């Protein structure tokens, strides 16, 4: 038994001694769950189900978001799962989805920001942490606060924290370099760390810098016009100047890039071809890449600041990040996810490895970059190139992947790569596992076997746990039990 196995075994036996009700696994088995599930189904009933079906030992409770990806009931247009209230939280219903904070706001932590009014209204004054933590502890389950970088435009004072787009208008996104947002983030984690007996905090930001956005290098169905990319606010421009970036040259570069992408999307081929044209822009305007890295470094500084804030309050609280699925598609975004760098301020990383929706999303990504920098490359060739450079061995054709999803081998390869990149660091790898993440009705859907194979692949690749995603309220119990079957098969139950 090596030292790591010994520590894991010791941790497992300690868990048994302290909490007989908990499964005796040394691997983190996490599940993302929003407040509405506990309100609709009852805390104990939901926890019974989650423990029984998938041996979950860690709850990732969605404490704040304005997005439906991790909070609220099933997404409208998708079939309701076989548990929970059999209705959608659409406009007009009593509990119509709005989003915000699902915990009590303690105002003393938000004195240094204009963002003060962000309570989610739909569940009254229900505090999900106050309600869930005691019941979870009784069962030996850990609770991690899970919140994300998703905002809406109708929050009081929010315009004072928003990114500035290239066209000068405010974005829905907030700027990491704006003190109102930075202080809100630090206030929020301090609020969680001081007000509740939590075991961890995870935050996620599914965005990227202006250059990658402008190229459409993401799995977003409507690619960005350069007018809407960001950030070009006063704080970012000041930070750019401090780094020696010529702001006027950067703006000229984005202007030229925008003219290129607009023409490319109309099918107007540059005389030297699309790929050469992008290289010519990068060579003429290295500020395009400098601006991209400015944004990425600002995100990293935000991670580090959150990490230090939480550790200054209570060092035992684990802190880590949800890493966007674009890491599986775009080599540019993957280059920005330098795990050795991130490990300095990460106790854990949830790397998204959603196999089922991954096929549909990869096809969308290929369609998007196939209309800008790779405009000369036929879709299947472009996909094959990405399989090669991203190191995926067994995935299907462009026509098939939306209908088939990615294989479990994709999860294995991604988990193996990330685990290897983290060797020698303190950072735990917890791959995000897809259970019923919405896809088009005609495309591939989650199955119990598919879920089981994905969990097996992640753990066999050496992952330190798995995080069942995105939210309990969209998961079918049969598919959740697929995860449980994998845990049993590995002898971890
Ligand atoms: Zn900014």
């Amino acid at each position: 038994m090596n030292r790591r196995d010994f520590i894991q075994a010791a941790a497992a036996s300690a868990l048994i001694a302290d909490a007989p009700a908990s499964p005796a696994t040394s691997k983190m088995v996490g599940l993302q769950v929003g407040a509405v599930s506990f309100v609709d189904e009852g805390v104990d009933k939901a926890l019974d189900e989650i423990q029984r079906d998938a041996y979950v030992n860690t709850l990732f409770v969605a404490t704040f978001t304005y997005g439906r990806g991790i909070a609220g009931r099933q997404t409208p247009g998708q079939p309701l799962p076989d548990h929970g209230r059999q209705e959608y939280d659409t406009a007009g219903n009593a509990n119509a989805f709005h989003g915000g904070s699902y915990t009590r706001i303690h105002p003393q932590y938000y004195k240094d920001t204009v963002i003060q009014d962000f309570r989610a209204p739909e569940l009254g004054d229900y505090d999900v942490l106050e309600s869930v933590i005691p019941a979870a502890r009784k069962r030996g389950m850990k609770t991690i606060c899970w919140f994300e970088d998703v905002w809406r435009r109708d929050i009081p004072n929010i315009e004072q924290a928003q990114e500035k787009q290239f066209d000068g208008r405010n974005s829905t996104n907030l700027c990491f370099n704006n003190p109102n947002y930075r202080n809100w983030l630090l206030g929020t984690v301090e609020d969680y760390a001081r007000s509740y007996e939590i075991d961890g905090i995870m935050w996620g930001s599914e965005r990227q810098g202006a250059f990658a956005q402008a190229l459409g290098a993401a799995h977003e169905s409507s690619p960005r016009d350069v007018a809407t990319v960001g950030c070009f606010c006063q704080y970012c421009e000041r930070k750019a100047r401090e780094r020696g970036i010529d702001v006027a040259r950067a703006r000229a570069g984005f202007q030229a890039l925008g003219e290129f992408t607009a023409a490319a999307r109309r099918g107007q081929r540059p005389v030297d071809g699309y790929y050469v044209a992008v290289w010519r822009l990068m060579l003429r305007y290295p500020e395009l890449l400098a601006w991209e890295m400015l944004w990425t470094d600002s995100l990293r500084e935000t991670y580090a600041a959150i990490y230090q804030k939480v550790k200054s309050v209570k060092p035992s609280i684990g802190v880590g990040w949800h890493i966007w699925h674009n890491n599986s598609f775009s080599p540019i975004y993957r280059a920005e996810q330098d795990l050795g760098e991130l490990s300095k301020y990460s106790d854990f990383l949830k790397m998204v490895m959603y196999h089922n929706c991954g096929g549909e999303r990869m096809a969308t990504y290929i369609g998007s970059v196939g209309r800008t920098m790779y405009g000369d490359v036929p879709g299947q060739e472009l996909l094959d190139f990405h399989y090669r450079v991203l190191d995926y061995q067994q995935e299907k054709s462009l026509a098939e992947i939306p209908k088939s999803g990615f294989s479990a081998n994709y999860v294995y390869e991604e988990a193996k790569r990330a685990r290897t990149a983290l060797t020698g660091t303190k950072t735990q790898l917890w791959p995000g596992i897809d259970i019923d993440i919405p896809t088009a009705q005609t495309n591939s859907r989650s199955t119990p076997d598919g879920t089981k194979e994905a969990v097996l692949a992640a753990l066999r690749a050496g992952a330190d746990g798995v995080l069942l995603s995105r939210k309990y309220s969209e998961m079918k119990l049969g598919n959740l039990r697929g995860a449980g079957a994998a845990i049993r098969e590995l002898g971890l139950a």
Side-chain angles (χ1 to χ4, degrees), residues 163 175 177 231-233 235-236:
E163 283 197 346
C175 175
N177 292 320
C231 179
F232 298 87
C233 79
Y235 301 103
C236 288

Side-chain angles (χ1 to χ4, degrees), residues 78-108:
Q78 296 285 331
L80 289 163
D82 47 353
H83 60 99
R85 278 271 285 276
Q86 294 299 298
E87 59 181 75
Y88 298 94
D89 44 13
T90 43
N93 285 6
N95 300 113
F97 181 80
H98 181 280
S101 173
Y102 296 93
T103 62
R104 184 167 296 115
I105 295 165
H106 302 90
Q108 63 268 37

Side-chain angles (χ1 to χ4, degrees), residues 44 55-56 73-75 79 103 158 172 179 182 186 209 235 246 261 296 303 327-328 395 469:
D44 280 309
Y55 310 98
V56 168
R73 296 192 190 118
Q74 175 63 294
T75 307
T103 62
I158 201 66
T172 307
R182 182 69 68 92
L186 299 181
Y235 301 103
D246 184 328
T261 56
T296 299
Y303 288 152
N327 185 54
S328 288
E395 303 312 321
S469 302

